[in-house]
Amino acid sequence: MKATLLALFIVFNSLLPASALDENLTDGCVADYSADVDYFPDKIEIVDASKFTVEYFNNYKVLRVADAFDGAPGFNYVLVQCGTPAPSPADFAEGTQFIDVPSGDLITLSTTQLPALSQLGLLDHLAGVDSGFYISSPEVVRMIADGAVAEVGFGAEVNIELVLELQPQLVMSYGYNPATDAHPVLLEAGIFTALDASWRELSPLGRAEWLKFTALFYNLEARASAIYQDIAAQYEAVKAKAAAVAAEDRPRVLINSFLGYADAWFIPGEETYVGRLIRDAGGDLLLAEAGSATSQGLSFEVAFEGGFDADIWLVETFGIYSGDDLLALDSRFGDFAAFQSGDIWNNNRDENANGGNNYYEWGVTNPHLALADLVAIFHPDLMPEREFAFYRRLASE
Amino acid sequence: MSQLVGEPVQPAKTEYKWRKSEPAALQLSREFAGARPHILLIMLIALGALLLLSLALGSALIPFDQIVTVLLSGEADQPAWTHIVLKFRLPKTLTAMFAGMALGVSGLLMQTYFRNPLAEPFVLGVSAGASLGVALVVLTTGAVGGALLAGLGLAGDLLMTVAAGLGAAMTMLLVLLVAIRIQSSVSLLILGLMFGYLVAAMVSLLLYFALPERIQAYINWTFGSFGGVTNEQLPVLAGIVLAGLLLSAALTKALNALLLGEDYARSLGANLKRTRIGIVLATALLVSAVTAFCGPIAFIGIAVPHLCRGLLASADHRLLLPGTCLAGACVALCASLIAELPGNNLVLPLNVVTALMGAPVVMLVVLRGARGQL
């Protein structure tokens, strides 16, 4: 009897050699672990993102997030194939979190994390969000209305009891200010919390590539890579169109959002996310600091001096839907040349009832859409038929 | 008499030593001797210079001859410059002037009425009351897109001012009610502070339930700025401030009498009730207009009256009122100039500058008071 079993075992093993897995396990656990098997035949390669890295081992992957917020320490995660032994915590830096993958239910604390879930087909795993108030995704809104998805707070301010009750395997948070962030509280409560640093990425494609970060927790590397490749190709195609424009035909673009105190304008630097989008769309950003990856506060006077004759003005400000809204803000805005020529735009075409802007949700993982919008604004002849995804012209009624 | 006993509440530099043998009027005239009214002229000249400087200096570098050309109704070499001088610097300069006048005078009114050197709209929570009014309007009405004095047009400006005025007047009334019963200036200050905290808590509660963008608009407003007022809005601000100043001017005599305490003021024929209403009304007008248009601006109200008493060497309101007007305008223009950091692209929040300028004056007053007591 014993010999028969042994023989069967040998035969079985020879039928399943070490390289037998030809795709990642996206469902369930490994029943018969073998140290020689590579459990992650599908691996990601990070192309544009710079804030996370992943290192593959046979039955686990080590995920590292850097620069999650100003002065952030490195965050390390060990993602262990479920059903296989986890490596010893002693071999990793203190604070390293361990999680079995493919993971189960998750809670997201930022709307920017939702598109990846729907693109990867993971919405069934969504147990909670921070708040539905600003969410654009119709599926998620419906799930909240049906009670399938709970609301646990607002941004990084979470109600820890609600989170504990949902028993998520994974919470996707983000860091901003460790004194008020959710992650120290969640970690204290023993909940696996992954920090999403995508908002720190400066390249539009780099930010979109964070879809792979989410995919790592569900062994969906192959699907994520395919989706990303498609997005990147579309982005590059649009960019190539705009790059063909002669230097003198590039419009001078003023872009700002009124987030500073009364008379300060915040103008993004050339190397910021927005600065790169404008450049890739074939526009010249006015007043931008060369080589700067941060925004600078300028006085209204200086902004006017440098921007009053801009060809196009992108007013990326909440609640502005028309030229009149802009005039109500300050009558002096009417003196800008772009205002008079009607070339003023805002990125709030696709908003939910509460003013939650899909540009900051779907647009983040699909930068090619925002880029194509911008190209159509800067060079209408290149995209005459463009149906805008996020931008609207602010007409004066 | 009883009011004069207790806390020493003399303004800096001036001591009121009451001698029972002399009639009050005689004492007042003695107190007002040695004043330096010619300083007013110097202040006026300084104001003129600062007005010009404020028009000439800004973040954008514009040659002085171009400024003069524009002011003499010409066109600058660059169209942007004409625009900057006429639509940015002119309203900003005039706003700073009116706001400075209003804050200086309201500080003076309150310091005299409460006979407390630290009284001013900000310290006694009156600004906080105005803030509550503004918060109610901004956070609950449809003021759009981070706009503060916007979205509702001129009607919005007036609504904001009225709300700020009601908030200021309510707080002022509360402080007055308490002041009738409590003579101790320290107690009054503490109560004022507590009013401020209470109101701040209510504002926080409003903020907690407001949309983030509205919160941003409110927070921006709290930084203070003279630059948000346009030429269309300026007449509203100027009109309300001038009304408040005229009312204050009508109170000069009563304010002088009040220096000797309410009992003596009454014996000198002052109608206390009318004076009290006048002071509340004037302060509410002055503080609400400035707070609604420029934000809760700290320290100008407290520092300027002390500065004036020192410079003019007098406690006579016939001198102090124009003095605080002029000095307030000068200080506000200075603060505005510093906040602008001429030649630099950046702007500092106005309240940072006023605090840096005003806090040392307050410290000086407190230290002097402490030395006098020891």
Side-chain angles (χ1 to χ4, degrees), chain B residues 101 105 150 194 307:
Chain B
M101 287 177 167
V105 171
M194 289 307 125
L307 204 67

Side-chain angles (χ1 to χ4, degrees), chain A residues 362-373:
Chain A
W362 192 249
V364 171
T365 30
N366 297 276
H368 60 292
L369 297 176
L371 187 72
D373 273 8

Side-chain angles (χ1 to χ4, degrees), chain A residues 261 299 301 328-329 331-332 335, chain B residues 59 83 87 89 147 150 232 347:
Chain A
Y261 42 91
S299 73
E301 230 181 76
L329 208 60
S331 58
R332 291 172 287 199
D335 299 320
Chain B
S59 316
H83 198 96
K87 289 203 167 178
R89 291 195 187 167
E232 295 90 78
V347 272

Side-chain angles (χ1 to χ4, degrees), chain B residues 176-197:
Chain B
L176 265 180
L177 280 177
V178 177
I180 289 167
R181 292 174 162 270
I182 295 173
Q183 296 301 331
S184 155
S185 63
V186 174
S187 309
L188 194 61
L189 277 187
I190 293 173
L191 282 168
L193 277 176
M194 289 307 125
F195 280 141
Y197 283 130

Side-chain angles (χ1 to χ4, degrees), chain A residues 133-134 154 258-264 297-302 304-305 308 317-320 328-332 335, chain B residues 58-60 80-81 83-84 87-89 92 145 147 150-151 211-213 216 220 223 225 227 230 232 345-349:
Chain A
F133 197 75
Y134 283 139
F154 210 94
F258 302 103
L259 282 177
Y261 42 91
D263 40 359
L298 298 182
S299 73
F300 193 175
E301 230 181 76
V302 170
F304 183 81
E305 194 185 26
F308 81 103
T317 300
F318 177 86
I320 301 290
L329 208 60
D330 194 316
S331 58
R332 291 172 287 199
D335 299 320
Chain B
S59 316
W81 289 349
H83 198 96
I84 287 173
K87 289 203 167 178
F88 289 75
R89 291 195 187 167
K92 185 177 191 165
L211 295 179
E213 289 72 15
Q216 187 66 45
N220 292 346
F223 281 123
S225 165
T230 60
E232 295 90 78
N345 282 348
L346 303 170
V347 272
L348 295 177

